[in-house]
């Protein structure tokens, strides 16, 4: 009975987290569309360059502690408060490094006003440090409602400010202040919606103890973030900020879907896996269910977006952004198997094997270097295509260790994933054919018809072939209605 209750708890938590997170992501999506119509690809590219450096600095600030706080069997108030103050101290160090290196970054990209923007935007490191501890507490204690309310509030506040600034002609500064106000608003509202507050206590011994596990996650996260953002750094330098802005915008739409679900998987699965880490069979069963359901949901959304990419960009962003369509389609393929990555890595973390996690990241980054070196010999589109292919190969690398750890092999994982892959591919082909047949009709009517057709085709195929995930979700919905 306990095993069944735990699996239901994980699935319900995942389902609820996705629905709640979708509200905030929806607001951010609307804001992004409005800003894209008010700003140029070049302005997006400038902020994209700076954000890469801040993301990397933030890895040092968090130092793997967020995962450790969730994974640790008996984390107490002293652990959370100690990590909070340590991360704030690290934020001060990293801010100073960014402040001093800002002129060098501006000179490297030959953009004079980059210096001032780096120094202002780097302020987000401070609220980001507190938020990382707050969200660790949320994940550990399943307080997702408070996180949703805070994220939604922060998205609305920061979105309204950025749109107003863009409309008044502030250009790139509209996006700078969007990020600053988002982090500040999220940190403040979390203090009202989540029960955790930092106490006046600190123990360096606790920080050292957790760092003995977290340093491997720090190295792995640093490798991951550097290499994930390396393409953006190179596109901005080798080509120009306009092409970088188009790449970032093309990546944003599929990333919104994949990371929304990925964040839900990480928030729900890691504490659940950690709680049952001694029972590997239960972790296996929970992980299998999560992969089945997440693949059933995310793969058709991304392949559907692939099919309507040109119509979607023209309708939402306008003609000036059509350059991002090839990037959007490539990244849809790249992010298709993101939930599988997350589920495998969270299972490895939950059973305390951060050493394996780090080794996997090293292997994947060596593969990334090979793909990048080859891609740089060609144009930017070939380079991004090779990145997508490398991401696909990494699903096999991430899944490999779980055959031994959990008895869940690469072959069995792909057997669970292939049904939604095949049905989604059929749906994608049908929607693209429909779009070609409709020709140059009203772009909004065309988009709506394609989306509805995609949903009908996929749902019909899932019902006709009696997919297990489809029947499981239908059963959950009926049960919730009954409750």
């Amino acid at each position: 009975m306990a095993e069944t209750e735990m699996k239901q708890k994980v699935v319900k938590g995942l389902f609820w987290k996705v629905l709640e997170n979708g509200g905030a992501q929806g607001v951010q999506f609307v804001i992004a569309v409005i800003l894209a119509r008010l700003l140029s690809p070049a302005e997006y590219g400038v902020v994209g360059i700076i954000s890469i450096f801040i993301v990397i600095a933030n890895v040092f600030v968090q130092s793997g502690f967020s995962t450790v706080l969730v994974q640790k069997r008996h984390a107490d108030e002293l652990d959370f408060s100690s990590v909070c103050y340590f991360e704030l101290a690290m934020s001060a160090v990293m801010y100073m490094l960014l402040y001093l290196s800002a002129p060098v970054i501006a000179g490297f990209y030959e953009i004079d006003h980059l210096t001032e923007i780096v120094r202002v935007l780097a302020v987000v490191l401070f609220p980001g440090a507190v938020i990382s501890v707050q969200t660790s507490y949320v994940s550990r204690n399943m307080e997702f409602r408070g996180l949703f309310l805070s994220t939604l509030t922060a998205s609305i506040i920061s979105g309204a400010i950025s749109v107003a600034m863009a409309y008044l002609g502030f250009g790139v500064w509209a996006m700078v202040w969007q990020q600053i106000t988002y982090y500040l608003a999220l940190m403040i509202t979390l203090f009202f919606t989540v029960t955790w507050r930092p106490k006046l206590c600190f123990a360096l011994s606790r920080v050292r103890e957790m760092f003995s596990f977290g340093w491997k996650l720090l190295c792995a996260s640093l490798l991951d973030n550097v290499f994930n953002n390396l393409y953006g750094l190179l596109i901005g330098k080798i080509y120009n900020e306009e092409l970088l802005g188009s790449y970032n915008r093309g990546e944003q739409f599929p990333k919104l879907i994949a990371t929304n679900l990925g964040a839900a998987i990480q928030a729900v699965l890691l504490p659940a896996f950690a709680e049952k880490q001694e029972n590997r069979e239960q972790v296996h069963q929970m992980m299998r269910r999560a992969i089945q359901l997440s693949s059933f949901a995310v793969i058709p959304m991304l392949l559907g977006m692939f099919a309507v990419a040109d119509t979607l960009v023209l309708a939402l962003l306008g003609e000036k952004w059509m350059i991002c369509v090839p990037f959007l389609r490539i990244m849809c393929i790249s992010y298709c198997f993101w939930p599988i990555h997350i589920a495998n890595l969270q299972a490895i973390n939950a059973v305390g094997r951060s050493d394996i996690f780090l080794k996997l990241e090293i292997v994947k980054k060596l593969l990334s270097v090979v793909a990048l070196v080859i891609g740089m010999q060609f144009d930017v589109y070939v380079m991004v295509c090779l990145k997508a292919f490398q991401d696909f190969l990494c699903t096999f690398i991430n899944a490999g260790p779980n055959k031994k750890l959990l008895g869940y092999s690469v072959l069995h994982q792909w057997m669970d994933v292939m049904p939604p892959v095949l049905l989604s591919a059929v749906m994608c082909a049908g929607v693209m054919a429909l779009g070609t047949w409709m020709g140059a009709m009203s772009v909004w009517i065309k988009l709506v018809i394609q989306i509805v057709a995609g949903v009908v085709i996929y749902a019909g195929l899932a019902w006709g072939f009696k997919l297990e995930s489809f029947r499981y979700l239908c059963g959950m919905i009926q049960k919730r209605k009954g409750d």
Side-chain angles (χ1 to χ4, degrees), residues 284 287-289 291-293 295-296 299 340 408-421 467-469:
H284 173 185
M287 178 182 169
R288 180 170 184 262
R289 179 65 74 186
I291 285 179
Q292 287 177 324
L293 293 177
S295 298
F296 178 81
I299 292 175
I340 308 174
Y408 194 18
S409 68
V410 175
L411 177 61
H412 287 116
Q413 290 189 34
W414 274 94
M415 288 175 64
D416 288 333
V417 170
M418 281 310 296
V421 170
L467 253 63
E468 180 184 352
S469 298

PDB file of all heavy atoms in Angstrom, residues 284 287-289 291-293 295-296 299 340 408-421 467-469:
ATOM      1  N   HIS A 284      12.705   2.987  -8.864  1.00  0.00           N
ATOM      2  CA  HIS A 284      12.587   2.535 -10.247  1.00  0.00           C
ATOM      3  C   HIS A 284      11.167   2.742 -10.769  1.00  0.00           C
ATOM      4  O   HIS A 284      10.955   3.306 -11.852  1.00  0.00           O
ATOM      5  CB  HIS A 284      12.994   1.052 -10.325  1.00  0.00           C
ATOM      6  CG  HIS A 284      12.746   0.422 -11.667  1.00  0.00           C
ATOM      7  ND1 HIS A 284      12.951  -0.915 -11.903  1.00  0.00           N
ATOM      8  CD2 HIS A 284      12.299   0.921 -12.851  1.00  0.00           C
ATOM      9  CE1 HIS A 284      12.658  -1.201 -13.154  1.00  0.00           C
ATOM     10  NE2 HIS A 284      12.251  -0.101 -13.749  1.00  0.00           N
ATOM     11  N   MET A 287      10.269   6.475 -11.072  1.00  0.00           N
ATOM     12  CA  MET A 287      10.977   7.081 -12.187  1.00  0.00           C
ATOM     13  C   MET A 287      10.362   6.665 -13.519  1.00  0.00           C
ATOM     14  O   MET A 287      10.199   7.485 -14.435  1.00  0.00           O
ATOM     15  CB  MET A 287      12.448   6.659 -12.126  1.00  0.00           C
ATOM     16  CG  MET A 287      13.293   7.200 -13.262  1.00  0.00           C
ATOM     17  SD  MET A 287      14.989   6.615 -13.129  1.00  0.00           S
ATOM     18  CE  MET A 287      15.624   7.130 -14.719  1.00  0.00           C
ATOM     19  N   ARG A 288      10.001   5.410 -13.649  1.00  0.00           N
ATOM     20  CA  ARG A 288       9.397   4.916 -14.887  1.00  0.00           C
ATOM     21  C   ARG A 288       8.075   5.642 -15.163  1.00  0.00           C
ATOM     22  O   ARG A 288       7.812   6.070 -16.288  1.00  0.00           O
ATOM     23  CB  ARG A 288       9.169   3.408 -14.798  1.00  0.00           C
ATOM     24  CG  ARG A 288       8.544   2.817 -16.056  1.00  0.00           C
ATOM     25  CD  ARG A 288       8.558   1.292 -16.023  1.00  0.00           C
ATOM     26  NE  ARG A 288       8.052   0.776 -17.281  1.00  0.00           N
ATOM     27  CZ  ARG A 288       6.800   0.368 -17.480  1.00  0.00           C
ATOM     28  NH1 ARG A 288       5.924   0.414 -16.486  1.00  0.00           N
ATOM     29  NH2 ARG A 288       6.418  -0.070 -18.657  1.00  0.00           N
ATOM     30  N   ARG A 289       7.251   5.787 -14.137  1.00  0.00           N
ATOM     31  CA  ARG A 289       5.973   6.468 -14.320  1.00  0.00           C
ATOM     32  C   ARG A 289       6.193   7.923 -14.721  1.00  0.00           C
ATOM     33  O   ARG A 289       5.496   8.461 -15.591  1.00  0.00           O
ATOM     34  CB  ARG A 289       5.146   6.384 -13.040  1.00  0.00           C
ATOM     35  CG  ARG A 289       3.807   7.086 -13.115  1.00  0.00           C
ATOM     36  CD  ARG A 289       2.883   6.426 -14.132  1.00  0.00           C
ATOM     37  NE  ARG A 289       2.373   5.153 -13.632  1.00  0.00           N
ATOM     38  CZ  ARG A 289       1.640   4.323 -14.353  1.00  0.00           C
ATOM     39  NH1 ARG A 289       1.360   4.625 -15.613  1.00  0.00           N
ATOM     40  NH2 ARG A 289       1.216   3.186 -13.843  1.00  0.00           N
ATOM     41  N   ILE A 291       8.776   9.259 -16.306  1.00  0.00           N
ATOM     42  CA  ILE A 291       9.272   9.331 -17.684  1.00  0.00           C
ATOM     43  C   ILE A 291       8.135   9.094 -18.671  1.00  0.00           C
ATOM     44  O   ILE A 291       8.010   9.794 -19.685  1.00  0.00           O
ATOM     45  CB  ILE A 291      10.422   8.321 -17.901  1.00  0.00           C
ATOM     46  CG1 ILE A 291      11.703   8.837 -17.249  1.00  0.00           C
ATOM     47  CG2 ILE A 291      10.653   8.066 -19.390  1.00  0.00           C
ATOM     48  CD1 ILE A 291      12.885   7.913 -17.384  1.00  0.00           C
ATOM     49  N   GLN A 292       7.292   8.114 -18.393  1.00  0.00           N
ATOM     50  CA  GLN A 292       6.171   7.830 -19.286  1.00  0.00           C
ATOM     51  C   GLN A 292       5.243   9.033 -19.412  1.00  0.00           C
ATOM     52  O   GLN A 292       4.875   9.449 -20.519  1.00  0.00           O
ATOM     53  CB  GLN A 292       5.389   6.620 -18.774  1.00  0.00           C
ATOM     54  CG  GLN A 292       6.094   5.289 -18.968  1.00  0.00           C
ATOM     55  CD  GLN A 292       5.291   4.143 -18.377  1.00  0.00           C
ATOM     56  OE1 GLN A 292       4.641   4.285 -17.336  1.00  0.00           O
ATOM     57  NE2 GLN A 292       5.331   2.999 -19.032  1.00  0.00           N
ATOM     58  N   LEU A 293       4.842   9.594 -18.273  1.00  0.00           N
ATOM     59  CA  LEU A 293       3.876  10.693 -18.293  1.00  0.00           C
ATOM     60  C   LEU A 293       4.480  11.966 -18.876  1.00  0.00           C
ATOM     61  O   LEU A 293       3.831  12.676 -19.656  1.00  0.00           O
ATOM     62  CB  LEU A 293       3.348  10.949 -16.884  1.00  0.00           C
ATOM     63  CG  LEU A 293       2.482   9.844 -16.280  1.00  0.00           C
ATOM     64  CD1 LEU A 293       2.083  10.200 -14.851  1.00  0.00           C
ATOM     65  CD2 LEU A 293       1.238   9.608 -17.122  1.00  0.00           C
ATOM     66  N   SER A 295       7.019  12.266 -20.966  1.00  0.00           N
ATOM     67  CA  SER A 295       7.230  12.093 -22.404  1.00  0.00           C
ATOM     68  C   SER A 295       5.913  12.172 -23.168  1.00  0.00           C
ATOM     69  O   SER A 295       5.844  12.757 -24.249  1.00  0.00           O
ATOM     70  CB  SER A 295       7.908  10.747 -22.683  1.00  0.00           C
ATOM     71  OG  SER A 295       9.170  10.682 -22.073  1.00  0.00           O
ATOM     72  N   PHE A 296       4.872  11.595 -22.605  1.00  0.00           N
ATOM     73  CA  PHE A 296       3.551  11.638 -23.237  1.00  0.00           C
ATOM     74  C   PHE A 296       3.075  13.075 -23.396  1.00  0.00           C
ATOM     75  O   PHE A 296       2.396  13.414 -24.375  1.00  0.00           O
ATOM     76  CB  PHE A 296       2.549  10.849 -22.396  1.00  0.00           C
ATOM     77  CG  PHE A 296       1.148  10.877 -22.938  1.00  0.00           C
ATOM     78  CD1 PHE A 296       0.764  10.037 -23.971  1.00  0.00           C
ATOM     79  CD2 PHE A 296       0.206  11.756 -22.415  1.00  0.00           C
ATOM     80  CE1 PHE A 296      -0.531  10.074 -24.488  1.00  0.00           C
ATOM     81  CE2 PHE A 296      -1.089  11.801 -22.918  1.00  0.00           C
ATOM     82  CZ  PHE A 296      -1.457  10.955 -23.959  1.00  0.00           C
ATOM     83  N   ILE A 299       6.668  15.643 -25.484  1.00  0.00           N
ATOM     84  CA  ILE A 299       7.105  15.352 -26.855  1.00  0.00           C
ATOM     85  C   ILE A 299       6.081  15.831 -27.896  1.00  0.00           C
ATOM     86  O   ILE A 299       6.461  16.482 -28.881  1.00  0.00           O
ATOM     87  CB  ILE A 299       7.432  13.853 -27.023  1.00  0.00           C
ATOM     88  CG1 ILE A 299       8.685  13.514 -26.204  1.00  0.00           C
ATOM     89  CG2 ILE A 299       7.660  13.502 -28.493  1.00  0.00           C
ATOM     90  CD1 ILE A 299       9.042  12.040 -26.184  1.00  0.00           C
ATOM     91  N   ILE A 340      13.572  13.202 -19.792  1.00  0.00           N
ATOM     92  CA  ILE A 340      14.310  11.966 -19.538  1.00  0.00           C
ATOM     93  C   ILE A 340      15.656  12.292 -18.895  1.00  0.00           C
ATOM     94  O   ILE A 340      16.097  11.607 -17.963  1.00  0.00           O
ATOM     95  CB  ILE A 340      14.533  11.184 -20.850  1.00  0.00           C
ATOM     96  CG1 ILE A 340      13.202  10.993 -21.581  1.00  0.00           C
ATOM     97  CG2 ILE A 340      15.180   9.836 -20.579  1.00  0.00           C
ATOM     98  CD1 ILE A 340      13.345  10.359 -22.939  1.00  0.00           C
ATOM     99  N   TYR A 408      16.884  -0.117 -14.389  1.00  0.00           N
ATOM    100  CA  TYR A 408      16.076   0.529 -15.433  1.00  0.00           C
ATOM    101  C   TYR A 408      17.021   0.883 -16.581  1.00  0.00           C
ATOM    102  O   TYR A 408      17.638   1.947 -16.590  1.00  0.00           O
ATOM    103  CB  TYR A 408      15.405   1.768 -14.863  1.00  0.00           C
ATOM    104  CG  TYR A 408      14.284   2.346 -15.703  1.00  0.00           C
ATOM    105  CD1 TYR A 408      13.642   1.620 -16.699  1.00  0.00           C
ATOM    106  CD2 TYR A 408      13.848   3.649 -15.487  1.00  0.00           C
ATOM    107  CE1 TYR A 408      12.617   2.157 -17.451  1.00  0.00           C
ATOM    108  CE2 TYR A 408      12.823   4.213 -16.222  1.00  0.00           C
ATOM    109  CZ  TYR A 408      12.215   3.458 -17.210  1.00  0.00           C
ATOM    110  OH  TYR A 408      11.188   4.009 -17.961  1.00  0.00           O
ATOM    111  N   SER A 409      17.139   0.016 -17.554  1.00  0.00           N
ATOM    112  CA  SER A 409      18.137   0.148 -18.606  1.00  0.00           C
ATOM    113  C   SER A 409      17.726   1.163 -19.661  1.00  0.00           C
ATOM    114  O   SER A 409      16.569   1.590 -19.739  1.00  0.00           O
ATOM    115  CB  SER A 409      18.369  -1.209 -19.272  1.00  0.00           C
ATOM    116  OG  SER A 409      17.205  -1.602 -19.992  1.00  0.00           O
ATOM    117  N   VAL A 410      18.698   1.518 -20.516  1.00  0.00           N
ATOM    118  CA  VAL A 410      18.438   2.434 -21.630  1.00  0.00           C
ATOM    119  C   VAL A 410      17.367   1.860 -22.549  1.00  0.00           C
ATOM    120  O   VAL A 410      16.448   2.576 -22.992  1.00  0.00           O
ATOM    121  CB  VAL A 410      19.737   2.691 -22.420  1.00  0.00           C
ATOM    122  CG1 VAL A 410      19.446   3.550 -23.651  1.00  0.00           C
ATOM    123  CG2 VAL A 410      20.793   3.337 -21.538  1.00  0.00           C
ATOM    124  N   LEU A 411      17.465   0.573 -22.821  1.00  0.00           N
ATOM    125  CA  LEU A 411      16.495  -0.072 -23.704  1.00  0.00           C
ATOM    126  C   LEU A 411      15.084   0.027 -23.147  1.00  0.00           C
ATOM    127  O   LEU A 411      14.140   0.364 -23.872  1.00  0.00           O
ATOM    128  CB  LEU A 411      16.872  -1.543 -23.909  1.00  0.00           C
ATOM    129  CG  LEU A 411      15.898  -2.372 -24.762  1.00  0.00           C
ATOM    130  CD1 LEU A 411      15.793  -1.792 -26.171  1.00  0.00           C
ATOM    131  CD2 LEU A 411      16.340  -3.832 -24.803  1.00  0.00           C
ATOM    132  N   HIS A 412      14.912  -0.258 -21.853  1.00  0.00           N
ATOM    133  CA  HIS A 412      13.585  -0.195 -21.248  1.00  0.00           C
ATOM    134  C   HIS A 412      13.051   1.237 -21.218  1.00  0.00           C
ATOM    135  O   HIS A 412      11.852   1.460 -21.395  1.00  0.00           O
ATOM    136  CB  HIS A 412      13.613  -0.780 -19.836  1.00  0.00           C
ATOM    137  CG  HIS A 412      13.739  -2.274 -19.817  1.00  0.00           C
ATOM    138  ND1 HIS A 412      14.828  -2.931 -19.289  1.00  0.00           N
ATOM    139  CD2 HIS A 412      12.920  -3.237 -20.296  1.00  0.00           C
ATOM    140  CE1 HIS A 412      14.663  -4.233 -19.422  1.00  0.00           C
ATOM    141  NE2 HIS A 412      13.517  -4.449 -20.033  1.00  0.00           N
ATOM    142  N   GLN A 413      13.942   2.196 -21.006  1.00  0.00           N
ATOM    143  CA  GLN A 413      13.501   3.591 -21.020  1.00  0.00           C
ATOM    144  C   GLN A 413      12.995   3.979 -22.405  1.00  0.00           C
ATOM    145  O   GLN A 413      11.959   4.639 -22.536  1.00  0.00           O
ATOM    146  CB  GLN A 413      14.649   4.510 -20.589  1.00  0.00           C
ATOM    147  CG  GLN A 413      15.000   4.383 -19.109  1.00  0.00           C
ATOM    148  CD  GLN A 413      15.990   5.442 -18.660  1.00  0.00           C
ATOM    149  OE1 GLN A 413      15.973   6.572 -19.139  1.00  0.00           O
ATOM    150  NE2 GLN A 413      16.863   5.079 -17.723  1.00  0.00           N
ATOM    151  N   TRP A 414      13.712   3.576 -23.444  1.00  0.00           N
ATOM    152  CA  TRP A 414      13.284   3.923 -24.792  1.00  0.00           C
ATOM    153  C   TRP A 414      12.018   3.176 -25.203  1.00  0.00           C
ATOM    154  O   TRP A 414      11.215   3.695 -25.987  1.00  0.00           O
ATOM    155  CB  TRP A 414      14.416   3.670 -25.785  1.00  0.00           C
ATOM    156  CG  TRP A 414      15.302   4.860 -25.860  1.00  0.00           C
ATOM    157  CD1 TRP A 414      16.452   5.086 -25.166  1.00  0.00           C
ATOM    158  CD2 TRP A 414      15.083   6.038 -26.627  1.00  0.00           C
ATOM    159  NE1 TRP A 414      16.983   6.321 -25.455  1.00  0.00           N
ATOM    160  CE2 TRP A 414      16.160   6.930 -26.365  1.00  0.00           C
ATOM    161  CE3 TRP A 414      14.106   6.430 -27.521  1.00  0.00           C
ATOM    162  CZ2 TRP A 414      16.271   8.175 -26.951  1.00  0.00           C
ATOM    163  CZ3 TRP A 414      14.210   7.678 -28.117  1.00  0.00           C
ATOM    164  CH2 TRP A 414      15.280   8.532 -27.832  1.00  0.00           C
ATOM    165  N   MET A 415      11.836   1.993 -24.679  1.00  0.00           N
ATOM    166  CA  MET A 415      10.583   1.280 -24.937  1.00  0.00           C
ATOM    167  C   MET A 415       9.397   2.043 -24.340  1.00  0.00           C
ATOM    168  O   MET A 415       8.296   2.046 -24.900  1.00  0.00           O
ATOM    169  CB  MET A 415      10.662  -0.129 -24.354  1.00  0.00           C
ATOM    170  CG  MET A 415      11.578  -1.065 -25.131  1.00  0.00           C
ATOM    171  SD  MET A 415      11.775  -2.684 -24.347  1.00  0.00           S
ATOM    172  CE  MET A 415      10.091  -3.307 -24.440  1.00  0.00           C
ATOM    173  N   ASP A 416       9.619   2.703 -23.190  1.00  0.00           N
ATOM    174  CA  ASP A 416       8.562   3.503 -22.573  1.00  0.00           C
ATOM    175  C   ASP A 416       8.334   4.820 -23.311  1.00  0.00           C
ATOM    176  O   ASP A 416       7.230   5.376 -23.278  1.00  0.00           O
ATOM    177  CB  ASP A 416       8.920   3.797 -21.106  1.00  0.00           C
ATOM    178  CG  ASP A 416       8.804   2.569 -20.221  1.00  0.00           C
ATOM    179  OD1 ASP A 416       8.002   1.680 -20.551  1.00  0.00           O
ATOM    180  OD2 ASP A 416       9.517   2.497 -19.199  1.00  0.00           O
ATOM    181  N   VAL A 417       9.382   5.327 -23.986  1.00  0.00           N
ATOM    182  CA  VAL A 417       9.302   6.634 -24.641  1.00  0.00           C
ATOM    183  C   VAL A 417       8.821   6.536 -26.087  1.00  0.00           C
ATOM    184  O   VAL A 417       8.180   7.462 -26.602  1.00  0.00           O
ATOM    185  CB  VAL A 417      10.694   7.326 -24.581  1.00  0.00           C
ATOM    186  CG1 VAL A 417      10.719   8.566 -25.460  1.00  0.00           C
ATOM    187  CG2 VAL A 417      11.037   7.684 -23.149  1.00  0.00           C
ATOM    188  N   MET A 418       9.101   5.431 -26.757  1.00  0.00           N
ATOM    189  CA  MET A 418       8.831   5.331 -28.192  1.00  0.00           C
ATOM    190  C   MET A 418       7.360   5.509 -28.584  1.00  0.00           C
ATOM    191  O   MET A 418       7.081   6.125 -29.627  1.00  0.00           O
ATOM    192  CB  MET A 418       9.349   4.000 -28.733  1.00  0.00           C
ATOM    193  CG  MET A 418      10.850   3.995 -28.967  1.00  0.00           C
ATOM    194  SD  MET A 418      11.447   5.404 -29.920  1.00  0.00           S
ATOM    195  CE  MET A 418      10.636   5.140 -31.501  1.00  0.00           C
ATOM    196  N   PRO A 419       6.376   4.993 -27.828  1.00  0.00           N
ATOM    197  CA  PRO A 419       4.984   5.215 -28.250  1.00  0.00           C
ATOM    198  C   PRO A 419       4.619   6.680 -28.447  1.00  0.00           C
ATOM    199  O   PRO A 419       4.115   7.045 -29.524  1.00  0.00           O
ATOM    200  CB  PRO A 419       4.167   4.544 -27.134  1.00  0.00           C
ATOM    201  CG  PRO A 419       5.071   3.457 -26.627  1.00  0.00           C
ATOM    202  CD  PRO A 419       6.445   4.052 -26.677  1.00  0.00           C
ATOM    203  N   PRO A 420       4.886   7.570 -27.463  1.00  0.00           N
ATOM    204  CA  PRO A 420       4.568   8.981 -27.740  1.00  0.00           C
ATOM    205  C   PRO A 420       5.434   9.590 -28.828  1.00  0.00           C
ATOM    206  O   PRO A 420       4.983  10.501 -29.543  1.00  0.00           O
ATOM    207  CB  PRO A 420       4.811   9.675 -26.384  1.00  0.00           C
ATOM    208  CG  PRO A 420       5.655   8.743 -25.596  1.00  0.00           C
ATOM    209  CD  PRO A 420       5.291   7.368 -26.053  1.00  0.00           C
ATOM    210  N   VAL A 421       6.671   9.107 -29.005  1.00  0.00           N
ATOM    211  CA  VAL A 421       7.528   9.622 -30.080  1.00  0.00           C
ATOM    212  C   VAL A 421       6.899   9.325 -31.446  1.00  0.00           C
ATOM    213  O   VAL A 421       6.782  10.207 -32.305  1.00  0.00           O
ATOM    214  CB  VAL A 421       8.941   8.999 -30.004  1.00  0.00           C
ATOM    215  CG1 VAL A 421       9.742   9.339 -31.270  1.00  0.00           C
ATOM    216  CG2 VAL A 421       9.691   9.514 -28.785  1.00  0.00           C
ATOM    217  N   LEU A 467      -2.750   3.860 -25.347  1.00  0.00           N
ATOM    218  CA  LEU A 467      -1.501   4.143 -24.650  1.00  0.00           C
ATOM    219  C   LEU A 467      -1.722   4.138 -23.137  1.00  0.00           C
ATOM    220  O   LEU A 467      -2.697   4.715 -22.633  1.00  0.00           O
ATOM    221  CB  LEU A 467      -0.946   5.506 -25.079  1.00  0.00           C
ATOM    222  CG  LEU A 467       0.286   5.469 -26.001  1.00  0.00           C
ATOM    223  CD1 LEU A 467      -0.080   4.799 -27.312  1.00  0.00           C
ATOM    224  CD2 LEU A 467       0.832   6.861 -26.228  1.00  0.00           C
ATOM    225  N   GLU A 468      -0.791   3.509 -22.433  1.00  0.00           N
ATOM    226  CA  GLU A 468      -0.922   3.375 -20.981  1.00  0.00           C
ATOM    227  C   GLU A 468      -0.974   4.743 -20.301  1.00  0.00           C
ATOM    228  O   GLU A 468      -1.785   4.966 -19.404  1.00  0.00           O
ATOM    229  CB  GLU A 468       0.259   2.573 -20.433  1.00  0.00           C
ATOM    230  CG  GLU A 468       0.222   2.376 -18.914  1.00  0.00           C
ATOM    231  CD  GLU A 468       1.443   1.659 -18.384  1.00  0.00           C
ATOM    232  OE1 GLU A 468       2.263   1.180 -19.211  1.00  0.00           O
ATOM    233  OE2 GLU A 468       1.584   1.579 -17.162  1.00  0.00           O
ATOM    234  N   SER A 469      -0.110   5.676 -20.735  1.00  0.00           N
ATOM    235  CA  SER A 469      -0.079   7.006 -20.115  1.00  0.00           C
ATOM    236  C   SER A 469      -1.386   7.751 -20.339  1.00  0.00           C
ATOM    237  O   SER A 469      -1.873   8.458 -19.438  1.00  0.00           O
ATOM    238  CB  SER A 469       1.086   7.823 -20.678  1.00  0.00           C
ATOM    239  OG  SER A 469       2.318   7.219 -20.378  1.00  0.00           O
TER     240      SER A 469
END
